[in-house]
Amino acid sequence: MAKVKGAITVNTERCKGCNLCVVACPTGTLALQPNEVNDRGYHFAYMANPDKCTGCCSCAWVCPDACIEVYRVKVEA
Amino acid sequence: MEEVRLMKGNEAIAHAAIRYGFDGYFGYPITPQSEVLETLEELMPWETTGMTVLQAESEVAAINMVYGGAASGKAVMTSSSSPGVSLKQEGISYIAAASLPALILNVMRGGPGLGTIQPSQADYFQATKGGGHGDYHLIVLAPSTVQEMVDFVGLGMDLAFKYTNPSMILADGIVGQMMEKVVLPEQRPRRTEEEIRKQCPWAADGRKGGRKRNVITSLELESSKMEVINEALQARYREIEKNETRWEEIGVEDADYLIVAFGTVARICAKAQELAAEKGIKVGIVRPITLWPFPTEAINKAAQGKKGILCVELNAGQMIEDVRLAVHDSLPVEHFGRMGGIIPSPEEVLVALENKIINK
Amino acid sequence: MEINDIICPENKVYAAPELLEQVHMHYCPGCSHGVIHKLVAEVIAEMGLTEKTIGVSPVGCAVFAYNYIDVDWVEAAHGRAPAVATAISRLWPENVLFTYQGDGDMSAIGTAESIHAANRGENIVMIFVNNAIYGMTGGQMAPTTLVGQKTATTPYGRRIDLNGHPLEITNLMAILDGTCYVTRQAVHTPAAVRKTKAALKKAFENAVAKKGTSVVEVVATCNSGWKLSPEKANEWMVEHMFEKYPLGDLKNE
């Protein structure tokens, strides 16, 4: 059956590193930057394992600062 | 069309609110001014001019309804009496700080505390020096007749919109409860929504036509900006002082003594003036109509060459401070007034003038 | 399939709400307010109410709500939002009014205004964010603070004998004839967020249809007030808050 691939973008300046997207992600795609921080000193979220993302939007739904935009595309198996 | 009627001051306020095209009245019962709300409910203006009338759950809610209505550009008012007006002070400070036009009527009763329901003028300080927090002023109009109760509803609201600043009618229980002949003005049509948007482009009435959003708030955490806001308010107050000070003078020119009194008390003093004349005592009367802005210069001028001033107020002496400031101790200024709701007779006023000023 | 091939406009399935201002929100990291703001912004835009909606913001953490959602706003004194909204709603019947209130605003100083606006059946949406603490002023007790919950003013935990019982204000609202829809939601999981959005949509529909007052309580977290990480705060909320403030519709006519 058609496989689905997803990806997200993070507004890194707006992210406060609250970790709620990481917790909400069902496939363990996300993590907080271990070293990099934004202008406000927050370790912002990023796709640590981008290939695991299915574009399900869980992260975007729970994000308190609307930092995450989600993309999804069908891929022939 | 105009109508001549015999009615109580409180009832006249209600008729005037409808005829001057108010959009909303939000009130709460309290003696001695409940007739304002009762009359509005009887007249059902929502079926004629479309005016909204609502009895709120408290004076606090009522003033915040006025704040909301004013924030959306509508012509709104409330009325209450002394204790109720105390409850409204926070809301009034917000309305003043947010530069919103609104009309607040206080039909004063004897205080402090629960006090009495008889008349008083003991809320002068609260009305003119600002009863709520922060530096702000209301344009304060003091009616002495039922006709002025009507006229000041129109004047109060026109000034409120002219300066985007709240106005107050500071009446006392006498003129609220007293019946007198009154000429009710012609019906002034309520503004259409387009007229409101044109007159009040700042109002929070919905981003029609996709205009930029309007936010009505008095919050400003940045001190430098808050000072600028305050300076703008103060500049407006200077402007109002320059243009809107009102008072009345009766027989001041050739008088030896002056009486300064506002509201219905000025009418009692007019009778005392006659009694004095019969005894060869020439007394002039200055009646401040705007208690803020106070007619300081007028009183200073009227005091020139006079031997003394008696301030007659239904309180322990409040306006007298502004009179003293106006004349800088250039002549004796004494207070006479009854409290607890007792109204002095003209004879008492004359005796006070003789004891405190003339024979001093 | 490279990531950059996936990330292109036609593949976008979730975007930041257009009515949510692209500014930094002052809320603490992980605060529920931000999620609720996002949902309010989405619902207003999706229902085409941008030009008709007027928000009444409270005094509390959401005191700057008017900087974040691009509709007209009126800032109310603490607790007075329902009175402010009542007047505007009656004076501008074609506009849609919502109040955004915290637990202090709704169930402490604003109790009378909240109950009476609802009892009059004002056609407004009352959004009530219940995080059982006064966040803006530094974490003091709220009427909804749980028994035993530590706050700046109940440092040893709330005691019934000293501080009374947690107030289930939303239950009171449900018994008022003026309310048509009263619900308690949360925004701690994607599913809960979706339900809250549906609840908000229903509430705004009720206001448009003039069916009376809708109350949407969002049981929320306060990470700094509760002194927990956002993740731990969500867990604490599920374990403790939901016990006292169970989710679900209390009324839906």
Side-chain angles (χ1 to χ4, degrees):
Chain A
M1 57 94 180
K3 209 158 139 329
V4 173
K5 282 291 293 165
I8 67 162
T9 57
V10 177
N11 180 335
T12 55
E13 275 320 306
R14 201 170 158 153
C15 171
K16 296 174 186 165
C18 76
N19 200 44
L20 287 179
C21 58
V22 175
V23 169
C25 176
T27 62
T29 303
L30 302 175
L32 297 185
Q33 280 291 349
N35 304 315
E36 270 183 79
V37 292
N38 62 20
D39 289 355
R40 292 172 187 272
Y42 291 120
H43 292 275
F44 50 87
Y46 77 110
M47 288 203 286
N49 311 299
D51 51 359
K52 290 190 173 165
C53 175
T54 62
C56 73
C57 299
S58 294
C59 56
W61 279 102
V62 299
C63 173
D65 289 275
C67 304
I68 297 173
E69 301 210 318
V70 184
Y71 300 81
R72 189 166 57 221
V73 65
K74 284 199 180 60
V75 173
E76 291 318 312
Chain B
M1 48 82 183
E2 270 194 4
E3 227 184 305
V4 179
R5 296 276 298 276
L6 175 69
M7 62 173 64
K8 281 187 175 187
N10 289 336
E11 292 156 355
I13 292 281
H15 285 271
I18 298 169
R19 287 168 175 258
Y20 279 114
F22 272 73
D23 298 308
Y25 169 93
F26 305 93
Y28 192 78
I30 182 169
T31 305
Q33 61 79 58
S34 303
E35 294 90 345
V36 179
L37 177 56
E38 291 166 14
T39 307
L40 282 169
E41 296 284 7
E42 279 159 29
L43 295 173
M44 297 196 288
W46 50 91
E47 288 183 358
T48 50
T49 67
M51 174 183 177
T52 295
V53 177
L54 179 59
Q55 177 177 327
E57 60 270 27
S58 72
E59 288 93 345
V60 175
I63 192 67
N64 279 284
M65 290 174 184
V66 165
Y67 169 82
S72 69
K74 294 281 184 167
V76 288
M77 71 174 286
T78 185
S79 67
S80 187
S81 172
S82 306
V85 181
S86 291
L87 283 172
K88 292 178 193 282
Q89 291 306 312
E90 182 201 35
I92 290 171
S93 174
Y94 274 62
I95 292 170
S99 291
L100 298 175
L103 183 62
I104 301 122
L105 164 67
N106 179 2
V107 181
M108 290 181 282
R109 65 188 251 177
L114 188 49
T116 173
I117 55 173
Q118 281 79 6
S120 159
Q121 296 184 317
D123 302 349
Y124 176 92
F125 281 154
Q126 182 189 65
T128 58
K129 310 298 176 187
H133 55 289
D135 288 299
Y136 71 91
H137 280 294
L138 307 179
I139 300 165
V140 182
L141 298 161
S144 65
T145 64
V146 171
Q147 187 62 54
E148 280 189 336
M149 288 280 258
V150 167
D151 301 342
F152 290 175
V153 168
L155 176 61
M157 189 39 103
D158 291 344
L159 291 175
F161 271 88
K162 179 177 174 184
Y163 294 97
T164 60
N165 197 82
S167 298
M168 173 173 276
I169 296 176
L170 192 64
D172 50 57
I174 306 172
V175 74
Q177 290 295 335
M178 181 169 64
M179 292 183 81
E180 268 191 306
K181 188 186 92 172
V182 62
V183 178
L184 297 175
E186 283 193 11
Q187 178 64 49
R188 181 194 286 187
R190 282 180 53 232
R191 295 162 303 158
T192 64
E193 288 188 6
E194 288 63 36
E195 284 164 341
I196 290 174
R197 291 189 202 287
K198 219 157 112 309
Q199 185 185 19
C200 311
W202 42 263
D205 48 24
R207 293 179 48 203
K208 282 286 180 306
R211 64 148 169 73
K212 211 173 60 53
R213 78 171 173 275
N214 284 337
V215 174
I216 303 295
T217 180
S218 51
L219 175 67
E220 181 45 73
L221 291 185
E222 239 189 270
S223 304
S224 56
K225 287 187 185 158
M226 194 60 196
E227 183 168 58
V228 167
I229 290 169
N230 270 282
E231 281 161 351
L233 290 179
Q234 292 304 316
R236 173 191 302 154
Y237 300 143
R238 298 299 82 77
E239 193 63 17
I240 296 173
E241 281 167 346
K242 198 157 54 77
N243 305 330
E244 307 301 343
T245 302
R246 289 167 168 78
W247 72 96
E248 182 187 15
E249 291 180 12
I250 310 162
V252 165
E253 280 317 313
D254 56 1
D256 296 322
Y257 302 96
L258 279 188
I259 289 180
V260 181
F262 69 93
T264 47
V265 173
R267 297 172 69 173
I268 298 168
C269 295
K271 186 61 183 170
Q273 181 184 41
E274 282 169 31
L275 298 177
E278 285 159 17
K279 297 175 79 173
I281 303 168
K282 286 185 283 182
V283 180
I285 294 176
V286 177
R287 174 171 76 98
I289 294 172
T290 53
L291 300 183
W292 194 88
F294 191 71
T296 304
E297 278 151 37
I299 287 178
N300 183 288
K301 212 158 114 297
Q304 302 305 319
K306 299 294 185 293
K307 296 175 186 159
I309 299 178
L310 184 72
C311 282
V312 186
E313 306 171 70
L314 299 183
N315 55 42
Q318 295 187 23
M319 180 181 63
I320 188 170
E321 292 190 4
D322 287 330
V323 174
R324 284 202 172 115
L325 284 173
V327 300
H328 315 296
D329 285 335
S330 56
L331 71 168
V333 181
E334 295 303 333
H335 163 75
F336 171 66
R338 300 299 300 271
M339 294 180 283
I342 293 172
I343 303 167
S345 66
E347 291 71 16
E348 278 180 82
V349 172
L350 182 52
V351 166
L353 179 68
E354 286 164 331
N355 294 346
K356 291 174 179 251
I357 301 284
I358 299 173
N359 308 330
K360 223 2 220 312
Chain C
M1 177 61 97
E2 279 314 312
I3 294 176
N4 295 346
D5 307 335
I6 304 172
I7 298 175
C8 53
E10 63 271 20
N11 293 341
K12 185 181 274 191
V13 289
Y14 189 102
E18 120 222 10
L19 278 188
L20 199 69
E21 289 286 357
Q22 281 307 319
V23 296
H24 175 84
M25 292 202 269
H26 73 286
Y27 300 114
C28 308
C31 176
S32 311
H33 275 300
V35 182
I36 301 163
H37 281 29
K38 206 173 51 173
L39 298 178
V40 172
E42 283 171 11
V43 165
I44 292 172
E46 283 161 23
M47 291 176 69
L49 295 174
T50 305
E51 297 190 358
K52 294 174 67 171
T53 301
I54 300 169
V56 182
S57 57
V59 168
C61 283
V63 71
F64 287 124
Y66 55 76
N67 287 333
Y68 306 136
I69 301 176
D70 197 15
V71 291
D72 273 3
W73 284 90
V74 177
E75 171 110 89
H78 191 39
R80 315 310 175 197
V84 173
T86 292
I88 304 174
S89 173
R90 287 184 176 227
L91 291 166
W92 293 91
E94 289 321 302
N95 283 340
V96 176
L97 269 290
F98 73 95
T99 66
Y100 193 101
Q101 302 173 247
D103 33 41
D105 210 275
M106 179 86 157
S107 65
I109 190 171
T111 308
E113 284 81 0
S114 303
I115 286 181
H116 282 281
N119 198 50
R120 287 190 298 264
E122 304 295 344
N123 294 307
I124 61 177
V125 175
M126 295 169 83
I127 300 170
F128 164 39
V129 181
N130 174 15
N131 55 19
I133 203 159
Y134 283 12
M136 170 62 81
T137 42
Q140 297 81 12
M141 178 181 80
T144 50
T145 294
L146 301 177
V147 175
Q149 184 178 349
K150 289 189 170 70
T151 73
T153 47
T154 55
Y156 309 106
R158 178 176 189 169
R159 286 170 43 175
I160 292 176
D161 57 343
L162 294 181
N163 317 106
H165 301 267
L167 176 55
E168 295 162 81
I169 183 86
T170 302
N171 297 53
L172 296 182
M173 305 300 255
I175 61 173
L176 301 174
D177 294 337
T179 52
C180 60
Y181 177 54
V182 179
T183 184
R184 206 181 267 124
Q185 301 293 332
V187 286
H188 61 306
T189 65
V193 171
R194 278 198 199 82
K195 279 213 207 107
T196 300
K197 179 173 180 177
L200 287 170
K201 194 152 193 277
K202 176 136 196 46
F204 274 87
E205 281 161 0
N206 289 341
V208 172
K210 300 201 182 314
K211 285 175 59 182
T213 307
S214 298
V215 180
V216 178
E217 172 183 346
V218 183
V219 184
T221 59
C222 178
N223 309 320
S224 50
W226 296 359
K227 297 184 171 45
L228 292 169
S229 72
E231 181 188 355
K232 285 280 178 279
N234 277 341
E235 287 162 18
W236 189 84
M237 174 171 71
V238 171
E239 203 183 329
H240 300 284
M241 291 283 280
F242 289 177
E243 192 189 343
K244 185 64 180 175
Y245 308 108
L247 304 188
D249 288 358
L250 287 80
K251 175 191 257 191
N252 188 358
E253 281 153 13

